[in-house]
Amino acid sequence: KDLFTKLANVEQGHLNTLSKLEAGEIPSMGGAKQETPSSFKETYGMGDTEDKKADCYLCNDTLTMEKHASSVYDTAVFEFTQAGMRDVLNHIQKEEQEHGKQIYDYMTANNMYS
């Protein structure tokens, strides 16, 4: 729940940034780096509980979406003509990749990724 809450807050920022781009404004992305957990502690053991299955489903679904979003941003970076917009989209793409890494790390720590 904590991981998804953190990711949701960053995703809300992405939506706000994209809304600014759509309005013709190129926002400054600044140098702030998102807080990344260095590692996750095992929440579930090797066995499958209903909670673990539900978490695994949510993580798989979210990881798939992060991969797709990163791919879409990658394509957009190549297709936008304004360097400032490309920089913004590249910044968002890097954050999407980091989200995927965090989800993967959580899944690996909990024996959910094979």
Side-chain angles (χ1 to χ4, degrees), residues 53-113:
K53 288 178 185 177
D55 269 7
C56 186
Y57 174 82
L58 292 172
C59 287
N60 272 315
D61 188 58
T62 305
L63 182 57
T64 299
M65 192 63 220
E66 291 294 349
K67 290 175 182 179
H68 175 71
S70 180
S71 173
V72 171
Y73 284 113
D74 183 58
T75 300
V77 166
F78 286 101
E79 294 178 349
F80 275 65
T81 58
Q82 292 182 343
M85 285 189 171
R86 285 194 311 272
D87 290 343
V88 170
L89 295 171
N90 189 33
H91 178 88
I92 293 173
Q93 182 198 27
K94 287 179 183 177
E95 289 187 342
E96 296 296 349
Q97 291 171 348
E98 183 57 37
H99 295 173
K101 175 73 167 101
Q102 290 176 35
I103 295 165
Y104 169 81
D105 288 347
Y106 174 81
M107 292 176 75
T108 300
N110 287 286
N111 304 301
M112 294 177 179
Y113 199 91

Side-chain angles (χ1 to χ4, degrees), residues 13 17 20-21 25-32 84-85 87-88 91-92:
T17 298
K20 289 177 183 177
L21 285 178
E25 178 186 344
I26 300 177
S28 171
M29 296 312 294
M85 285 189 171
D87 290 343
V88 170
H91 178 88
I92 293 173

